[in-house]
Amino acid sequence: MKSLRFVLPLAVFLLLIGFLYVGLYRDPREVPSPLVNKPAPAFSLAQLDDPAKKLGPADMKGQVWLLNVWASWCVSCREEHPLLVQLAQANIVPVIGLNYKDTNALGKKWLADNGDPYKLSVVDADGRVGIDLGVYGVPETFVVDKSGVIRYKQIGPITAEALQQKILPLVRELQKS
Amino acid sequence: MTRALLALIIAGVIALPSSAFAETALDTRMKALEEELRCLVCQNQTLADSHAPLAEDLRREVRELAVSGKSDAEIKEYLVARYGDFVLYNPPVKATTWLLWFGPFVALAGGGIAWWMILRRRRAGAEDDTPAEADPASAGIARARTLLDERPEI
C-alpha cells in the first residue's frame, strides 16, 4: 500500500510522458482519409491539353495508377515535382494529374516550365472533384488499384522516402495482383 | 415631394424584409451548421470563421446541399464521407473517442476516490489517535480533580 503511493503517480506520469512523446512525432495536419480502401469517387473531367476529351477513374480501370493533385499556385508542388518527373521517366506507373483550382493557361505554362510527368492532366477548375476526393492540402497523391479502389493517400508533397518505402512497393504489389 | 420620397422609403423598407427574411432563415441555418464544421486548412477555425479558399468552397457546397433540400445531418454525413470525422468540430462519441469524451470524468472520479481515501485514512488515524491525544488533557483534568479531592481540608 505504501509503495502504491509512489508507484501510482509515477505510472500516471510515465503514461502521460508516453502520450506526449508519441504526439511529438505525429503531424496534426495529416488527417487520415476515409476514402482509403474505398472506390475512387467517379468523375469525368476535361483534359488540360484537349478540353474536348474527358477522363475519369472509369477510364483507368484495369491498371494501377496514381492521381496527383497539383496546381500552378501550389508551392510545395514544386518540391515533389522532380520526383514525379523521375517516376515518369522510369515508366513504372501512369500518373494522372488533377489540375486543382487553376487556370488552363497557367497550368500549361507551369508544365512547360517544370516538365510534364503526367500521362495527362484533367481540369478541376472549381475544386468540386477535389471536395469529392477530400482534398484539403495540395499536393495530394492517391494510389488507385486495378479495380478503381484508392489504396493509399499521400497528403502533402511526395518525399523520396515515401516514394521508395510506401508508394512504389504498394504499386508493385498491386500490379502483381 | 418630401412626402412622396418618404412614402417611397417606407414602401422600400416594408418591401425589403420579405426577401431579406427568406435569405436570413437559410443564413442562420448555414451559420449554425458552419460553426459545427472544421476548416481543414486552418484546423482550429470553424468553416464559418475561415477565409481559406477551401473553406469558401466547402461553404458553397454546404449551402448548395442545403438549398437542394438536404438536412443538416445529411450534409454532415456528406462531408464526413470525404474528410472523415475530423471535419466535425464536435467529435462523435464512438469507441475510438471514448477516452476523449469520458477520460476527464474518469480522471475526476479517480481524483475523487483518491481524495476520499486519503480523507478516510486521515480520519481513521485521527480516531485512533483520539484517546492518546485526548488522554493527556483528560488525564490532567482527572488528576487535578483527584488532587483537589484529595486536598486535605483546611
Side-chain angles (χ1 to χ4, degrees), chain B residues 130-144:
Chain B
T130 309
E133 253 172 43
D135 241 356
S138 58
I141 290 167
R143 198 166 153 245

Side-chain angles (χ1 to χ4, degrees), chain A residues 65-125:
Chain A
W65 56 291
L66 303 188
L67 178 67
N68 177 252
V69 185
W70 66 279
S72 66
W73 47 262
C74 155
V75 180
S76 18
C77 292
R78 283 163 201 276
E79 218 173 285
E80 69 169 11
H81 205 70
L83 280 172
L84 284 176
V85 174
Q86 272 177 31
L87 185 67
Q89 280 163 356
N91 205 13
I92 297 168
V93 60
V95 184
I96 302 293
L98 183 80
N99 191 206
Y100 178 70
K101 300 193 73 173
D102 207 350
T103 62
N104 283 9
L106 285 175
K108 278 182 193 166
K109 185 178 180 301
W110 196 82
L111 289 183
D113 291 349
N114 296 288
D116 184 354
Y118 304 109
K119 186 165 178 252
L120 54 91
S121 278
V122 291
V123 178
D124 181 26

Side-chain angles (χ1 to χ4, degrees), chain A residues 10 31-32 39 48 59 70 80 103 111 113 126 129 140 149 155-156 161 167:
Chain A
L10 187 70
V31 182
L48 182 63
D59 303 311
W70 66 279
E80 69 169 11
T103 62
L111 289 183
D113 291 349
D126 56 6
V129 170
E140 290 186 10
V149 174
I155 296 161
E161 197 189 6
I167 297 173

Side-chain angles (χ1 to χ4, degrees), chain A residues 1 5 19 28-35 38 100-101 126-128 130-137 153, chain B residues 40-43 53-54 56-58 60-61 64 78-87 99 117-118 121:
Chain A
M1 200 64 193
R5 184 186 272 183
F19 274 118
R29 302 222 137 253
E30 223 165 272
V31 182
S33 172
L35 288 167
K38 297 224 175 82
Y100 178 70
K101 300 193 73 173
D126 56 6
R128 273 170 208 273
I131 290 177
D132 279 342
L133 284 163
V135 170
Y136 67 92
K153 181 187 181 187
Chain B
L40 287 119
V41 181
C42 20
Q43 297 181 343
L54 178 68
E56 277 163 25
D57 287 356
L58 287 176
R60 180 196 63 197
E61 199 79 13
E64 282 176 8
Y78 174 92
L79 288 173
V80 167
R82 285 156 180 75
Y83 291 98
D85 288 334
F86 194 68
V87 79
L99 190 65
M117 273 168 63
I118 289 167
R121 196 177 304 156

